[in-house]
Amino acid sequence: MQRPDARGYFGSGFGGKFVPEVLVEAISELERGMDAAFADPAFWSEYHAILRDFVGRPSPIMEASRFTGSDGATLVFKREDLNHTGAHKINNTVGQGLLAKRMGKTRIIAETGAGQHGVATATIGAKLGIPVDVYMGALDVERQSLNVYVMRLLGATVHAVQGGTRTLKDATNEAFREWAARAPDTFYIIGSVVGAHPYPYMVREFQKVIGIEARAQMLERYGRLPTDVVACVGGGSNAMGIFAGFADDPSVRLWGVEASGHGLHAVDTAASLNAGSIGVLHGSRSYLLQTPEGQVRNTHSISAGLDYPGVGPEHAHLKASGRATYVSATDDEALAAFHACAETEGIVPALESAHALSYARTLARERGPDGLVLVNLSGRGDKDTRQVGELEAASGRSATLAGAR
Ligand SMILES: *Cc1c(COP(=O)(O)O)cnc(C)c1O
């Protein structure tokens, strides 16, 4: 998997650095700091030591035979849900937190939607002793009060952003403004493979540990590579992380699963690669959900972590080159997989991950006994149980929906 060119483009013109003048120097300073750190073995040994002792890596792989049912391919979960704080996001915040420290920054800022990236950032801020300010839409602050409380427990300051729709894109705009105002002492930790160069590349390099571990684990346990690798795609960081381990193995098919909400052709969707078009959002050129006039559309997914109108530029490149294939799962399909995974494997998955599980199970059944399908279980679902319970109580459905599978 390649590094983007000097202007930050992956292959066919996706990526770049679309930032206002005031951020040009901050972006260059970040790129210089990143290059120096990436070339320094001491940086990587500190990163790997924290992943081992604090995050609990390597995360195991696990065969999920009851979830797949009989006669299908072998389906294997990569257990990112077992990481400290319950998802893959911590791999990235550990890396960027260490980079902030190395660059002498005395303050970290982050944007968050549902609060998962805010919690992962507050966690590494506490661990490294660097103060953290989190920007969050005021509506999200109300909806995600538990995560707001956890961030505060960890010592972070949470700012409720009042502008616009009072959600993630407004929080992101505010975080960029804050960075522009205080770039000399502030490090901005972005939560996915999105934003201006070098963020998409840098975040992929910090999440690549997932794919490198998984490749070695598959070879050790099965003596061969998987036939297919599947991951959900919001901004795209857990998918880029696991894909990166297999990108140079042409026999391995890569599948990204977007959230189509109420359906790909519905107004209520979040599938940028499948239902969007090319444009610029948050500093880079990629696919996004926009109106014909170029206004960013409101998105919908049952899972907050996939409810984003854009997608990382490297995914746009992998789609254009044909190296990866992007499919989608609806809210209902994700819910069915959420229940089935809980009932058959004893794991309550994150709703984000349930989108990947839904497609992986379909694929495993298609592939037949010779298939070996690896799916990234990006996070655990404790955070989602209340939402699912309330939703199903309201629609009169019972908790044992898995029978519908
Ligand atoms: C945030 C989140 C995602 C979506 O983010 P990506 O950058 O697309 O990986 C997926 N799964 C979980 C558990 C998350 O918390």
Side-chain angles (χ1 to χ4, degrees):
M1 203 145 270
Q2 307 264 310
R3 184 182 170 133
D5 71 18
R7 293 181 311 144
Y9 287 102
F10 293 96
S12 28
F14 295 105
K17 314 178 198 183
F18 295 83
V19 294
E21 185 92 39
V22 284
L23 279 174
V24 169
E25 175 46 32
I27 285 277
S28 319
E29 186 198 356
L30 172 62
E31 195 169 357
R32 290 192 301 273
M34 176 194 74
D35 283 338
F38 281 11
D40 181 359
F43 176 79
W44 290 112
S45 42
E46 192 174 6
Y47 163 81
H48 284 293
I50 294 183
L51 289 189
R52 182 190 64 214
D53 302 340
F54 185 63
V55 175
R57 300 204 75 90
S59 65
I61 56 168
M62 183 199 100
E63 206 166 299
S65 50
R66 278 184 27 85
F67 177 67
T68 336
S70 53
D71 347 301
T74 303
L75 180 63
V76 178
F77 290 173
K78 175 64 172 164
R79 299 289 310 276
E80 291 299 296
D81 61 309
L82 292 177
N83 293 339
H84 179 47
T85 69
H88 67 290
K89 287 196 170 71
I90 190 87
N91 303 324
N92 170 47
T93 59
V94 166
Q96 290 195 55
L98 285 174
L99 184 55
K101 187 176 87 171
R102 186 188 159 101
M103 290 173 67
K105 302 295 178 183
T106 53
R107 173 177 174 249
I108 286 171
I109 60 171
E111 85 296 336
T112 197
Q116 299 303 115
H117 174 57
V119 169
T121 304
T123 299
I124 195 62
K127 170 87 179 134
L128 299 177
I130 305 176
V132 172
D133 285 284
V134 177
Y135 295 85
M136 191 169 183
L139 187 63
D140 290 334
V141 169
E142 281 166 32
R143 291 192 293 201
Q144 307 289 340
S145 55
L146 185 64
N147 274 338
V148 173
Y149 180 66
V150 174
M151 287 182 252
R152 288 183 174 143
L153 266 183
L154 292 162
T157 307
V158 181
H159 302 267
V161 177
Q162 296 294 347
T165 52
R166 305 189 301 148
T167 58
L168 177 61
K169 83 178 150 48
D170 312 296
T172 306
N173 292 338
E174 188 63 24
F176 270 111
R177 254 195 296 279
E178 186 62 23
W179 193 28
R182 298 217 7 213
D185 72 347
T186 298
F187 192 103
Y188 180 14
I189 299 190
I190 290 185
S192 190
V193 286
V194 299
H197 178 71
Y199 282 103
Y201 164 68
M202 175 170 70
V203 175
R204 182 246 278 172
E205 291 300 292
F206 288 137
Q207 292 292 0
K208 195 164 81 175
V209 64
I210 304 171
I212 291 172
E213 278 176 15
R215 187 179 191 279
Q217 289 167 324
M218 293 300 285
L219 287 175
E220 189 196 276
R221 189 161 313 170
Y222 297 98
R224 63 181 174 126
L225 292 171
T227 51
D228 303 86
V229 173
V230 183
C232 66
V233 176
S237 67
N238 86 90
M240 275 321 304
I242 197 161
F243 287 179
F246 300 94
D248 298 330
D249 300 310
S251 69
V252 180
R253 292 204 64 175
L254 307 175
W255 302 89
V257 186
E258 294 194 303
S260 59
H262 295 159
L264 273 186
H265 304 290
V267 187
D268 289 344
T269 188
S272 322
L273 288 161
N274 281 286
S277 53
I278 295 169
V280 171
L281 179 68
H282 297 144
S284 66
R285 183 169 179 274
S286 184
Y287 279 81
L288 64 136
L289 292 162
Q290 56 187 334
T291 64
E293 295 76 34
Q295 293 296 310
V296 177
R297 274 166 56 183
N298 288 330
T299 52
H300 165 80
S301 166
I302 191 171
S303 101
L306 302 184
D307 199 351
Y308 178 66
V311 64
E314 195 168 8
H315 286 293
H317 167 57
L318 293 179
K319 175 184 158 96
S321 72
R323 179 65 189 91
T325 308
Y326 294 88
V327 294
S328 63
T330 63
D331 287 355
D332 287 346
E333 287 166 338
L335 265 181
F338 176 87
H339 283 287
C341 180
E343 290 179 22
T344 59
E345 299 294 343
I347 298 171
V348 178
L351 278 174
E352 291 85 358
S353 320
H355 289 74
L357 295 178
S358 170
Y359 188 75
R361 187 168 58 166
T362 304
L363 193 64
R365 289 175 177 174
E366 267 173 37
R367 281 283 178 268
D370 292 339
L372 182 58
V373 178
L374 173 68
V375 59
N376 200 18
L377 183 51
S378 55
R380 65 174 186 234
D382 311 41
K383 66 182 181 57
D384 298 319
T385 52
R386 189 165 143 202
Q387 182 198 345
V388 172
E390 285 174 0
L391 203 84
E392 290 174 355
S395 69
R397 278 189 286 191
S398 75
T400 48
L401 190 86
R405 69 178 172 272

